[in-house]
Amino acid sequence: MKYDREKEVEFLIERELKPNGITDERVLAALYKVKREKFITESLRDRAYGNYPLPIGEGQTISQPYIIGLMTQALEIKSSDKILEIGTGSGYQAAILAELSSVVYTVERIETLSLKARTNLYSQGYNNVIIILGDGTAGLSEYAPYDKIMVTAASPGIPDSLMSQLKNGGKMVIPVGSRFVQDLQLVEKALNGRIYKSSLCGCRFVPLIGKEGWDD
Ligand code: SAH
């Protein structure tokens, strides 16, 4: 049967995302627009819009669309926002963020993935994404502070560097917990610098490996 992207993405949005609380119009429009099939290997293309994670090589995965929607929606991104993403992976989440904000800095520790993400993003015109190779647990002090921070790998705690690189009035989403199961946390830094944390849901991410994360 011929692959019908529009039908697949509409089914995902109407049947899996909206009924489960992903309702922000800008977020849904970005999920509709960004071609998930371009960020995964050709052989998985007909599964691009299933509501499950997919392998992207090097033992890493791209999150399920529901989690991507939930994390993106929680950040309440404005078109003027400067965003930091930790865990570039395929570059798919960075593309979603790039649709909604002004600039996205994304850090990945595995070179092959970073290079592939670069091709994926730039071939599709995402020139407002800056791709950096390195240990994202230390954040990216050169361009700090950030309006929003998204961590797409599981951390034993909230790295101090990331907390300090978040603007007052900013928000961060990060999976915090053990190596195998985590709590997806929304961290809000008030204008006076006070920190408020809430839990979005249980989740399971690949580990954040680095100085302020897990050991290799
Ligand atoms: N956001 C990605 C999926 C990320 S999977 C996407 O949309 O495809 C998590 C990624 O975090 C993996 O690629 C992993 O290599 C990376 N990662 C793990 N620890 C890291 C660290 N300390 N710094 C940067 N990236 C890290």
Side-chain angles (χ1 to χ4, degrees), residues 45-187:
R45 200 177 78 159
D46 57 351
R47 297 173 62 195
Y49 296 96
N51 193 20
Y52 34 71
L54 290 169
I56 54 172
E58 306 288 342
Q60 308 302 318
T61 52
I62 186 171
S63 300
Q64 79 179 103
Y66 168 69
I67 292 290
I68 289 177
L70 189 69
M71 292 175 87
T72 308
Q73 180 168 277
L75 288 181
E76 298 184 50
I77 297 166
K78 295 192 200 77
S79 50
S80 57
D81 278 352
K82 174 167 70 168
I83 302 188
L84 175 65
E85 181 198 23
I86 308 303
T88 313
S90 67
Y92 174 73
Q93 173 73 70
I96 298 280
L97 296 172
E99 287 285 344
L100 299 167
S101 66
S102 146
V103 60
V104 179
Y105 293 89
T106 182
V107 185
E108 170 59 53
R109 65 181 283 271
I110 300 177
E111 188 170 19
T112 50
L113 292 179
S114 181
L115 290 172
K116 223 193 284 175
R118 182 176 296 271
T119 310
N120 290 343
L121 287 161
Y122 293 161
S123 66
Q124 290 174 80
Y126 288 105
N127 299 322
N128 60 333
V129 180
I130 318 296
I131 300 163
I132 286 131
L133 182 68
D135 175 9
T137 64
L140 188 64
S141 57
E142 293 93 314
Y143 305 99
Y146 303 94
D147 298 290
K148 309 286 158 64
I149 298 178
M150 183 183 286
V151 182
T152 64
S155 183
I158 300 169
D160 291 339
S161 304
L162 294 183
M163 198 63 114
S164 67
Q165 291 172 24
L166 184 64
K167 259 188 208 170
N168 284 6
K171 295 186 204 302
M172 162 163 44
V173 277
I174 176 168
V176 178
S178 73
R179 267 183 104 121
F180 307 103
V181 58
Q182 306 92 30
D183 187 36
L184 189 56
Q185 292 193 354
L186 173 65
V187 181

Side-chain angles (χ1 to χ4, degrees), residues 23 41 57 64 116 188:
T23 51
T41 175
Q64 79 179 103
K116 223 193 284 175
E188 300 178 72

Side-chain angles (χ1 to χ4, degrees), residues 8-20:
E8 299 271 332
V9 72
E10 266 162 26
F11 185 91
L12 172 70
I13 287 173
E14 298 300 328
R15 300 290 185 86
E16 303 278 357
L17 304 184
K18 282 189 182 173
N20 289 304

